[in-house]
Every structure is written in C-alpha cells, then in structure tokens.
C-alpha cells in the first residue's frame, strides 16, 4: 500500500456507466468530479473505457476466522473482496467460536481493520451459539466497537417463531436488522439439493422450495406485526419472490438479497455429483433463476450478496452427501451480475451500483459506503472493465480456497482498481 | 461404456446384450468346472461401505468364476472405517492396479465420483437411494427367463419407491426394454416428480394386481414410520403388503419378485414368499450370471 | 459395455460377398455351393470310416459358421447310417487369447447335446483353419466341459499359416493363401448362399481370427 496517502486522478471513467469524467481523490475523499480535471501531485489512473462504481458492499460473506483459518482468514477474505471490487463486507457469525458476543465481533472487526484491504463489518449471531434457543447479547454487540447492526444465525434458520418475533422486536432499539436464513429445519432434514425432477432422478434427498418460502412468509408477517426490519438472505425460489412482492406491497419493511450463483446456476449441475455445486440454499430450476433476475431488476430483491463460502479442497473432494455446502463468490460476483443482469438488458450500471453498493450499505447501516461518486463523499470507488473476458482459474483467486463453481468458465468483465477511502487496494488488476 | 453406474446409461441393445451374455454364462454354474479363464490376471476390488453379504458374495463369485483376482475391501476393519476419504481410498485402489471396482456406498453418486478418480471400470453395486443397476438387470433377466420376454410385460413395483435404488434402476431399465411399469406406494413414499418418470403411478394395489404380469416388492423399513411416511407397519401391510388374498387377484401366470432382503409379514407374507410364484431364489442365482456378464463386458475387452 | 455384436463382427467379412461393395471385384469364388456340399459329404464319410461308424461321435460346431457345418455333417452321417449323431455348438469367446486386443465381444451359443462329452469322440467343426488359435481355445473350452475319449477336427478350408502345432483330421479343401489374402465362407443358413471366397485381406485391428 505504497500509494495510501497519495492523491489519485482517475481519468475518463464512465460514472456508473454514463458519460466519461475525471475523478480526483485526495485525503480519502472524492475531491472533484468532472471533465478535464488536473492535479499535478496526483497519480494518474487511466480509466478510458472503464466503468466507475461506488465500492461494492457485500451483506453476506463467510470469512471463516476464527476457527477455520485453513479455508479463509479475515485477511485473505478481505483481499479476495478487494479483488472483486468490494470495499466493505459483512462477515457472517457462524465462525468458531460463534460471533455471538461483543468480544468475538470486535476481534473480527479489528482483523479487518488490520488487513486494510476492505472494511469488515461483523454480523452478530441472533441466538447464542446459533443454537436457536436463547437470544445472544444483541445490544452488547450493537454497542461494541464493531457497532453491529445486522444480526443473523446464517447457516441456521431462526425457526422458532417466538424467538424470531423477539429478535425482530429487540433489534428495533438500535436500528438493527435480522437477516434470516430461511430454511424450515424439519422440511429439510438430510436435504441435499433442490427437490424436483433432478433430485428424484439422482436419489439425493430433496430440499423443497416451500421450506424457504414458508419461513419467509411467516417472517414477513411477524415483521409487519411488530413493526421491525427483516432482511431475507439468499432468496432462491420463484415462490419466495412472489411472497416478497406481496409483503412489500403491504408495506412490510423487508429487504432481500440474491446470490450471483442463484442468478446463473441451476440444479441440473448436480447430475455430475460434483459437490462444487452443493450450496445452501440449493441451486434451483431455470424458472427460479428467471424469477430471481426479474425480481432483482424490479427491486423486489434489493441487492446482490455473495454468500462467499470458502471450503478446503477435502470438504468438496468427496461424495455429495458428505461434502460441505457453499461456494466462493467475492471475486466473480460482479462478472456474474454483468453476465446475468447487464448483458441481458435487465439492469444498467446505475442499477448495479444500487444493488451491489448503495442498497446493501443502507440495509447494513454502513454510512461510509454505498455513497454516490460525488465531491465530499468517501473515496470508495471500483473501476471495472466490462468489455473484456477472463477464464476462471481457481488457483489464481485471492481466496485461500478454490471452491468456485465457475472453474474454467469464461466470464465477462474484470475489476481493474478498487479504492478504499482513497487508498488503492487493487490497481492495474493487481491486489496492492 | 467404461462403467456401469446407471441403467439409464444403457441403450436397449446394450441392456439386451447383458441379458444375452448372462444367459450364456448361466451354463457355467451347471458345469463341473464352474470357471472361465476370461479375466485371468485382472483384479476386481469389492469396495463395500455398507454391509451386504448377499451382493458382495454375488459379485465375488461372479468375478472368481471369470478367474479374476478378487480383493474385498470392506468398510469394517480397514482404513475406510478409520475415516479415510473415498478419494484417498480410490487413489489406493488405483495404485494397486485395480482393473474393476465394485462399489456399494450409502451416498448417492458415490460410484460416479469414484469413476472420476480411478482408471478402472466402476460397477455400481448400489449407491445410496440412487441406483442398483445389476439388481435391475438380474430382475429383468429373471422376468425374461420366467415369462420369455420383457417387452410388453406389465410390471408393478410396490413399496418404498422414494428411498429405493432398486426402483430407480428398474424403472429406467424396464422402460428401455419396453415393459410397462406401474409404481404402487402410499403417496408419501413416492418422489414428488414421479409423474415425470416413464411409468404409471397408483396408490391402489388391489386395482393394479389384476392387470399385472410381474409384482416386484420393495423392502419397506419399519423405521420409515418414525418420519410419518405411514402410520403403522400394520396399516402399511394391510394396504400394500402382498398376502394370499392379494396373490389371488393376480393373473395365474403372474410372478412375484423381491430384491431381498425381505421383511416377511410387512411387504410380503411368508406364504407368498415361499409360493411357486415367487422367483426369489432364482433371482439370487441369476444375480451371479448377470454380474459375470457385466464384469465380462466391462473388463473382458481392451 | 462396448461389446461388439456378433452379427457385426461377421459383417466385417461381408464386403467380398457383396458384389456392390468395394473390393468385390477382386474377390473370387474358390468353392461354389455344390463343391461345398460335396466336400461335406466326403468329410461325413471320412468321419464314419475313421470312427468306425461314428457310434460315439459328437459333432460340435464353433460359432458362428462351424455350427451349421456341424449340423450338415450330422445330417449326412444320419443319411448314410440311418442313425442320429448328436451335434451342438461350442463357443470359444471366453477362451480366446486375444480378448484384450478388442472391445469385449458378444458371446456365441454353447449347446452341448444331452449325452455330454465324457467318453465321446468329439469332432470340432469350423469353417476355416488359419493360425490354429481358435482350435486351441476350443480345446480349452472343451476341457472345462468334460473329458472326451478323443478330439478330432473337421475344417471346410485349411488356408495354412499355422501358429500353433494343430492340424485338421478332416479337410474340405486345402487352399494355399498369402497373408495378404482373406478367406470368407458364406453359408446359406447365415448368408443366404454357399460359397468360399478369396479376396484381399482387410485390416482387422486387434483381431487374429481363424479365417
Ligand atoms: Zn445462509
């Protein structure tokens, strides 16, 4: 990070895809935006043909530290995030120990600060040990140095309706949000993949869409009833989209995210029995994928979240049933969104900025992120070359793990630079 | 075809070839020298992660009748039970020079995974709730031996279809061979997308029996009750068990099959299991011939 | 399961028989139908003579074309002696020494007459004797079925080029050939007509057939 204090003049970038302009970054903030800027002391970043986006924000990242540092650390995850154009990520609470106390969330937050590649905002567990029995000390985590606002038992569903109601009520006191991993546990006992034609043929225990949809419907009603704020993690089915649309139309304060992989991949990939495609929630059908894309386009789904879930090789080089669930996402997310949403005409770059930066920052109450690229704003900027393509090589990713489902695929677009409060974390496509 | 993983991979000609080959090889068990030199110098590994003396012995006998060297690698008392991964075991088998691996595993798709890790031929001897191809082949063989044909046969497969690898393999194979399959089970034991399968579906065994040439009963594990698949063993048996009264509803020529092991009194009454209609002991004998055929066709050539 | 169909492997021999196929012009008939019939009649008589009335004889044809030849010989013996001679077929596929050189082959039929082979004079019958490897395999196969008193060999065409110490007891026609030639036997039961054709050798990758 040799250029941390230097000023940078980004020349000719198209702001969220519009007309080219120069961006002068000084002292961690955006000093000026406009055509033909000059600053003799600034390092010039040629951005002709590049798209400038506000630094991306991920609401849903698994960094594995503490506990599984062999799969990912806060530092390696933050590098992967920077490489993917992110300036802030929310680190999920299902670490070991679980991030259910002020002590653990502060540890994670500090590790993120030390890494310097990306802001790491811890998510606090809703229940102690993710056990779904008793509330964790939500207030203490909110008041800690990490200032936790997003609470989630992700990986586990807060399935007890009474406990969910209490959590939703309780977080109102500090403007928190409960991010629900919607999965009815009884309906998904032993579940391996989306329940349907493919699971029946493969003899893999089915994971019915209703297990997700029933929880979302219930939680929307609870949220409306207690006047709180609900966020739905990784929406994966068409039915969920319809329920969310209905809940929003009633004025329910619910937001939702979709993962890049659910915007692209379908359950028939499981026919290889390669658990690289095993993920929670499972890959669904083409019809679901289409519904999710449309929902992201029309705002029923508010944002894209990666659910970046690193796993060591041995957790995937096994038979399907014993393999770990989850896939990498940080370094491919923007390319997948371009491929599924922009190149299909469903979303423009301003829409991408909203779905991948502004909305997640708003939901997570990160005031320093997701801001427009305008004078006086924190200089969190991502430069992206849309008119290129690259082949995904798992070994070349910054993540410590290699479990990407896109191995060998050609994806459009590459992040060429990421600035975190004026400091380049990625420059010329290389992590700094 | 390099492996036998699913009956869905077999064309009609290929499936018929297996049955024809098995019919020729069946003669060997009637000879004084019950051995052929065909697989001399070839190594077949039986890799069994589930206890199944019946299937393992059948494969072992089949391989030995073809003069292959047979190594039994069972989950008990080996590195397998000490938590070695399937992949590491596969690499070990590879290093041993296994020409063929017969694998039984509780996880669906385990045979597919193994096929990606070893050079030798992989024979799926049952993977989770997915498939059990040689069982379906021996069932089809038995039907053909008893009735003279498979095409046009009306076959009712009765029982826990949802969890049955035998049902999956049979539906695919019998469809390929031109039989008309009807699955019969309580709706809880049917896959949700069963209407997309190449077969008919019924919840009413009594209605199906008179129009049936072959009844194939699947094992129903009593522990399914705990997950509310059916209320009691008694109710299951009353609605779907094959007893003497139901046997009487079958056409006179119809046969009764069971892949074993049977739960007498649950899906089949002892009386029916031991009746002349029952092919249960033939199925065991035919299993060896069919497995010889599969081993020969996979390992006998270049 | 890439077993080659039996019909398919036989079909390999058909171009010479098919006048429209390439190479048909160069294949010539060395035995026609009546000549084949006469050769079989002569062999039948020789069998009767050598086995003193063929009382203990069992004829076993080697699939594919040895089988109809065995049946024809049995018919001729019966015509002469007025007594049926047991005949059957003996598939040698599982005993071949070249199995690994080609995809697994479909099996031919083995049908041993009810009398079995123990104590019998078994006459193996095949269409062409070439390297001798088929007969070697047949002897092995026979050995696993029982213990004949004697084994003899009847052949429609002996084309030479033996690779094993094997000779025929009864020969329809000795036909000196070059290795660049192939001998194709057509029989009415399988091919619609009787003929023995000599044509240019076709590449038979990995296959050492007695043709
Ligand atoms: Zn989750």
């Amino acid at each position: 990070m040799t250029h941390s204090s230097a000023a940078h003049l980004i020349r000719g970038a198209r702001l969220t895809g519009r007309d080219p302009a120069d961006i002068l970054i000084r002292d961690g903030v955006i000093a000026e935006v406009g055509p033909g800027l000059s600053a003799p002391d600034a390092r010039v970043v040629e951005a002709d043909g590049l798209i400038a986006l506000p630094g991306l924000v991920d609401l849903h990242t698994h960094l594995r530290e503490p506990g599984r540092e062999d799969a990912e650390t806060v530092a390696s995850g933050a590098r992967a995030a920077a490489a993917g154009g992110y300036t802030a990520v929310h680190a999920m609470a299902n670490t070991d120990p679980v991030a259910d106390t002020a002590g653990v969330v502060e540890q994670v937050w500090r590790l993120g600060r030390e890494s310097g590649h990306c802001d790491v905002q811890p998510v606090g567990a809703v229940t102690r040990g993710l056990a779904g029995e008793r509330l964790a000390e939500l207030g203490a985590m909110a008041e800690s140095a990490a200032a936790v606002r997003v609470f989630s038992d992700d990986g586990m569903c807060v399935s007890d309706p009474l406990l969910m109601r209490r959590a939703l009520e309780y977080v109102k006191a500090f403007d928190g949000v409960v991010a629900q991993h919607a999965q009815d546990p009884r309906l998904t006992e032993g579940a391996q993949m989306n329940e349907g034609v493919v699971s029946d043929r493969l003899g893999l225990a089915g994971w019915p869409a209703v297990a997700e949809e029933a929880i979302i419907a219930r939680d929307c009603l609870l949220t409306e009833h207690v006047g709180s704020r609900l966020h739905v993690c990784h929406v994966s089915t068409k039915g969920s989209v319809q329920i969310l649309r209905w809940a929003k139309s009633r004025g329910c304060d619910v937001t939702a995210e979709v993962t890049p992989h659910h915007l692209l991949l379908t359950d028939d990939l499981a026919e290889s029995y390669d658990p690289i495609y095993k993920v929670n929630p499972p890959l669904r059908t083409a019809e679901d994928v289409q519904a999710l894309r449309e929902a992201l386009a029309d705002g029923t789904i508010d944002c894209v979240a990666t659910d970046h879930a690193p796993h060591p090789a041995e957790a995937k080089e096994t038979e399907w049933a014993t393999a770990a669930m989850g896939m990498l996402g940080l370094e491919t997310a923007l390319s997948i969104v371009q491929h599924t949403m922009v190149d299909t005409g469903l979303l423009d770059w301003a829409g991408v900025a909203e779905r991948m930066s502004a909305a997640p920052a708003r939901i997570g109450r990160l005031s320093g992120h997701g801001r427009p690229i305008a004078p006086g704003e924190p200089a969190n900027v991502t430069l992206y070359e849309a008119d290129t393509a690259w082949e995904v090589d798992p070994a070349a990713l910054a993540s410590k793990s290699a479990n990407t489902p896109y191995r060998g695929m050609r994806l459009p677009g590459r992040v060429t630079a990421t600035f975190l409060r004026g400091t380049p974390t990625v420059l010329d496509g290389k992590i700094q | 075809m390099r492996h036998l993983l699913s009956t869905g991979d077999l064309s009609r000609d290929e499936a018929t070839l297996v049955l024809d080959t098995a019919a020729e090889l069946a003669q060997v068990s009637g000879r004084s020298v019950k051995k052929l030199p065909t697989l001399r110098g070839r190594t077949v590994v039986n890799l069994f992660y589930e206890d199944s003396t019946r299937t393992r012995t059948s494969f072992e006998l089949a391989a030995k009748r073809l003069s292959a060297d047979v190594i039994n690698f069972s989950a008990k008392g080996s590195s397998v039970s000490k938590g070695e991964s399937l992949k590491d075991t596969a690499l070990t088998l590879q290093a041993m020079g296994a020409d063929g691996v017969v694998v039984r595993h509780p996880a669906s798709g385990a045979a597919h995974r193994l096929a990606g890790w070893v050079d030798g031929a992989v024979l799926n001897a049952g993977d989770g709730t997915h498939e059990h191809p040689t069982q379906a082949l021996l069932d089809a063989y038995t039907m053909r031996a008893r009735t003279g044909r498979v095409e046009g046969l009306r076959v009712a497969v009765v029982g826990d279809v949802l969890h049955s690898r035998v049902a999956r393999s049979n539906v695919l194979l019998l469809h390929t061979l031109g039989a008309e399959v009807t699955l019969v089970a309580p709706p809880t034991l049917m896959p949700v997308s069963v209407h997309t399968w190449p077969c008919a579906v019924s919840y009413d065994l009594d209605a199906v029996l008179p129009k049936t040439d072959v009844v194939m009963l699947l094992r129903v594990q009593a522990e399914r009750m705990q997950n509310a698949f059916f209320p009691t063993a008694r109710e299951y048996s009353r609605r779907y068990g094959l007893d003497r009264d139901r046997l009487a509803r079958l056409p006179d020529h119809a046969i009764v099959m069971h892949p074993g092991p049977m739960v007498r009194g649950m899906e089949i009454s002892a009386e029916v299991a031991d009746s002349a209609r029952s092919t249960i002991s033939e199925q065991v004998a035919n299993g060896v011939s069919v497995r010889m055929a599969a081993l020969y066709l996979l390992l006998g050539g270049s | 399961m890439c077993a080659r169909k039996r019909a398919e492997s036989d079909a390999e021999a058909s171009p010479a028989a098919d006048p429209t196929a390439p190479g048909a012009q160069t294949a010539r008939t060395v035995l026609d139908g009546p000549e084949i019939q006469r050769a079989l009649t002569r062999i039948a008589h020789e069998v009767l003579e050598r086995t003193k009335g063929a009382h203990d004889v069992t004829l076993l044809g080697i699939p594919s074309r040895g089988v109809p030849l065995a049946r024809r010989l049995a018919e001729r013996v019966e015509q002469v002696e007025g007594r049926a001679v047991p005949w059957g077929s003996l598939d040698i596929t599982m005993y071949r020494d070249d199995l690994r050189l080609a995809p697994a082959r479909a099996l031919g039929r083995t049908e041993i007459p009810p009398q079995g082979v123990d104590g019998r004079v078994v006459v193996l019958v095949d269409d062409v004797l070439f390297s001798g490897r088929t007969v070697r395999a047949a002897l092995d196969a026979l050995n696993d079925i029982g213990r004949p008193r004697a084994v003899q060999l009847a052949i429609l065409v002996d084309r030479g080029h033996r690779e094993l110490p094997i000779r025929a007891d009864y020969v329809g026609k000795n036909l000196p050939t070059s290795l660049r030639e192939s001998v194709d036997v057509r029989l009415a039961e399988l091919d619609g007509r009787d003929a023995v054709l000599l044509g240019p050798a076709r590449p038979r990758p990995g296959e050492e057939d007695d043709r």
Side-chain angles (χ1 to χ4, degrees), chain A residues 186 189 195-197 199-204 271-275 316-321, chain B residues 86-87 105 107-110 112-113 117 127 129-130 162 168 191-194 196-197 227:
Chain A
R186 278 288 277 160
E189 273 172 21
E195 180 163 311
V197 174
S199 69
D200 286 345
R201 186 164 63 239
L202 298 183
L204 290 171
E271 278 174 12
S272 63
Y273 284 108
D274 185 346
K316 290 287 190 183
E317 285 183 345
T318 174
E319 53 275 24
W320 184 282
Chain B
L86 182 62
K87 185 174 185 185
H105 199 284
S108 299
H112 283 76
R113 294 293 277 162
W117 293 325
D127 63 327
T129 54
H130 177 227
L162 180 63
R168 277 177 182 75
V192 290
S193 74
V194 73
T196 66
W197 289 14
N227 257 319

Side-chain angles (χ1 to χ4, degrees), chain C:
Chain C
M1 301 266 157
C2 35
R4 199 179 315 176
K5 286 281 157 42
R6 198 152 195 89
E8 217 172 274
S9 67
D10 285 338
E12 280 184 312
S14 65
D18 177 358
T20 62
Q25 308 86 323
T26 49
R28 66 188 170 87
T29 303
V30 290
L31 282 181
D32 62 14
E35 286 171 322
I36 289 174
Q37 302 288 34
R38 277 196 293 279
L40 289 172
T41 304
R42 181 171 48 75
I43 292 175
H45 280 100
E46 285 175 18
V47 170
L48 278 166
E49 205 174 297
R50 292 255 315 251
T51 62
K52 301 188 170 39
H55 290 282
D56 300 326
V57 165
T58 293
L59 296 161
L60 290 182
I62 298 172
S64 303
R65 288 182 176 70
V67 180
L69 292 176
R71 190 174 63 83
R72 292 192 201 182
L73 284 174
E75 283 166 6
R76 279 167 171 73
V77 171
E78 189 174 348
Q79 275 160 22
V80 175
E81 291 290 287
R83 183 171 42 77
V85 176
W87 69 276
S89 64
L90 179 66
D91 184 52
I92 54 100
T93 309
M94 301 297 269
Y95 294 84
R96 294 177 71 114
D97 61 7
D98 61 351
L99 279 172
R100 297 204 195 164
L101 302 178
R105 296 150 206 263
L107 303 187
R109 300 225 60 182
T110 294
E111 282 185 281
I112 305 298
Q115 295 88 337
V117 298
D118 286 355
R120 311 277 307 173
V121 175
V122 170
V123 179
L124 297 172
V125 184
D126 204 0
D127 54 348
V128 181
L129 181 59
F130 185 15
S131 68
R133 288 173 190 271
T134 298
V135 176
R136 199 271 319 151
L139 290 169
D140 286 351
L142 198 54
N143 193 44
D144 281 355
I145 287 169
R147 190 175 182 282
R149 182 158 61 80
V151 182
Q152 299 178 350
L153 176 61
I155 281 294
L156 183 61
V157 176
D158 184 347
R159 63 167 294 190
H161 306 290
R162 213 75 74 241
E163 293 166 6
L164 295 170
I166 281 168
R167 60 164 184 80
D169 299 274
Y170 313 102
V171 178
K173 184 177 175 64
N174 280 300
L175 185 65
T177 59
S178 109
L179 284 171
R180 292 188 304 276
E181 292 170 312
S182 72
V183 177
D184 291 304
V185 174
R186 317 279 84 195
L187 294 175
E189 294 91 330
L190 298 171
D191 313 300
R193 64 160 177 146
D194 281 0
V196 176
L197 306 164
L198 186 65
R202 294 168 305 279
R204 310 179 72 98
E207 192 164 336
E208 172 48 49
D209 232 336
D210 258 15
R211 293 207 178 276

Side-chain angles (χ1 to χ4, degrees), chain B residues 121-141:
Chain B
V122 174
L123 282 88
N124 184 1
D127 63 327
T129 54
H130 177 227
E131 284 212 41
H132 192 352
T134 57
Q135 178 69 46
L137 285 162
L138 80 88
D139 290 339
Y141 180 93

Side-chain angles (χ1 to χ4, degrees), chain A residues 398-410:
Chain A
S399 171
K400 273 188 110 168
S401 293
N403 55 307
T404 171
Y406 311 112
R407 170 184 46 200
M409 275 177 67
R410 276 192 81 70

Side-chain angles (χ1 to χ4, degrees), chain A residues 60 62 154-155 181 233-234 280-281 307:
Chain A
H60 195 144
H62 296 276
D154 183 64
H181 171 115
C233 295
H234 40 54
N280 176 353
D307 199 2

